[in-house]
Amino acid sequence: MKTFRYILGAIAVVCGFASCDDENYMRYDTAHSGIYFTGDTVRYSFGVTPIDIREHTIKVPVAIMGALSGSDRTFSYELVTADCVGEEGKQYVMGTPVIHADSTSGYIPITVLRDGLKGNYQDGYERYKLTLRLTAGDTFVPTLDSASQVRVVMFDNAVEQPEWYNAMGEKVWSLSTLGKWHPYKFIKMVEYFHALENTLPETYKKMVALYGENLEHIEYGDPYQYRTVFKKYIYLPMYEHFNDPANEQMILAEYPDFPFDFPYPF
């Protein structure tokens, strides 16, 4: 019995020196300085983003194994040029990678430049792809498996006609309600739809649940459950925007083929 007490006492002493804290060990053991990507392929599309937003910064996430630091740290990576579509400075700008102070995570910033993205809804959109690979540096070395050391980033400026279908499974876009299909119409429709979050917050939540965050799932292309809301808060502002002479040159500069045919909703 006395021997058993000595053993317990010895274990307690060892734990006192070692902290017996696995999480603490992973956070502060300086023998570990690994870095790896988290998440899967990163995708971004300007899509239905308002056209006055001309750039967007993608943050490709990474995580580290090892000691924390009281200051920001950088790390090393390379762009696999064989898989790169586009040109830095025209379609995108690579930023400085960072692990923020007292953090086990960080990111590689990539600013996507909307003005440089090629393609249109008539001829097709250019899809851009960057492949990033972590490399050894002064502070970190890639760790875990090879898949965790490489990450693909994809981006574009595509605005596709929404996946609205009739009972026959055919894609629909109501000419009588919306006029001829054009991506700018859908951009404005989603913009005014999102504005409902401030004007009719409870109704907006129900509509998002029914139609999707960006109106992806309108059955038969007819939001009949909230038709009055659409007419008053979405279609009417769209009509006024497209028919305001002050907006004409701005619209044509962005979309020279825009059809000014949006019907009056009432």
Side-chain angles (χ1 to χ4, degrees), residues 14-198:
V14 171
C15 282
F17 283 115
S19 296
C20 284
D21 185 340
D22 290 340
E23 181 181 353
N24 196 55
Y25 172 79
M26 290 300 291
R27 289 165 63 90
Y28 295 102
D29 180 8
T30 56
H32 292 75
S33 56
I35 188 167
Y36 57 95
F37 283 115
T38 59
D40 299 315
T41 297
V42 179
R43 303 176 188 272
Y44 178 76
S45 176
F46 280 100
V48 293
T49 304
I51 63 172
D52 59 327
I53 297 177
R54 309 312 299 176
E55 61 181 47
H56 173 80
T57 299
I58 300 170
K59 295 182 178 180
V60 187
V62 300
I64 66 168
M65 297 171 58
L68 301 184
S69 172
S71 58
D72 290 353
R73 291 176 289 177
T74 188
F75 55 91
S76 301
Y77 73 94
E78 63 181 359
L79 191 62
V80 182
T81 54
D83 293 332
C84 175
V85 178
E87 182 178 346
E88 184 170 7
K90 290 187 177 180
Q91 284 82 34
Y92 63 93
V93 174
M94 305 300 299
T96 302
V98 63
I99 304 292
H100 286 300
D102 301 316
S103 177
T104 58
S105 62
Y107 56 87
I108 299 172
I110 304 173
T111 300
V112 182
L113 308 175
R114 192 173 199 170
D115 291 338
L117 303 185
K118 299 178 181 178
N120 56 62
Y121 76 102
Q122 294 175 319
D123 304 318
Y125 294 95
E126 189 78 47
R127 314 285 180 167
Y128 297 88
K129 173 184 175 183
L130 305 177
T131 301
L132 310 178
R133 179 185 293 124
L134 295 170
T135 59
D138 295 335
T139 310
F140 300 103
V141 294
T143 189
L144 300 183
D145 55 25
S146 58
S148 300
Q149 299 170 20
V150 176
R151 189 60 71 240
V152 172
V153 180
M154 304 181 73
F155 54 92
D156 58 53
N157 191 32
V159 187
E160 308 288 359
Q161 187 173 330
E163 300 291 315
W164 302 343
Y165 295 94
N166 61 20
M168 304 298 293
E170 300 166 331
K171 187 177 285 190
V172 293
W173 175 267
S174 176
L175 294 176
S176 61
T177 304
L178 306 170
K180 181 182 177 182
W181 154 254
H182 193 279
Y184 187 50
K185 291 182 181 179
F186 193 49
I187 288 173
K188 294 305 291 185
M189 183 185 297
V190 173
E191 179 183 335
Y192 290 126
F193 173 62
H194 288 168
L196 290 174
E197 186 173 12
N198 296 321

Side-chain angles (χ1 to χ4, degrees), residues 237-252:
M238 290 174 67
Y239 175 83
E240 292 172 343
H241 175 79
F242 298 141
N243 287 277
D244 185 344
N247 296 328
E248 182 176 357
Q249 292 305 311
M250 178 273 295
I251 295 173
L252 291 175

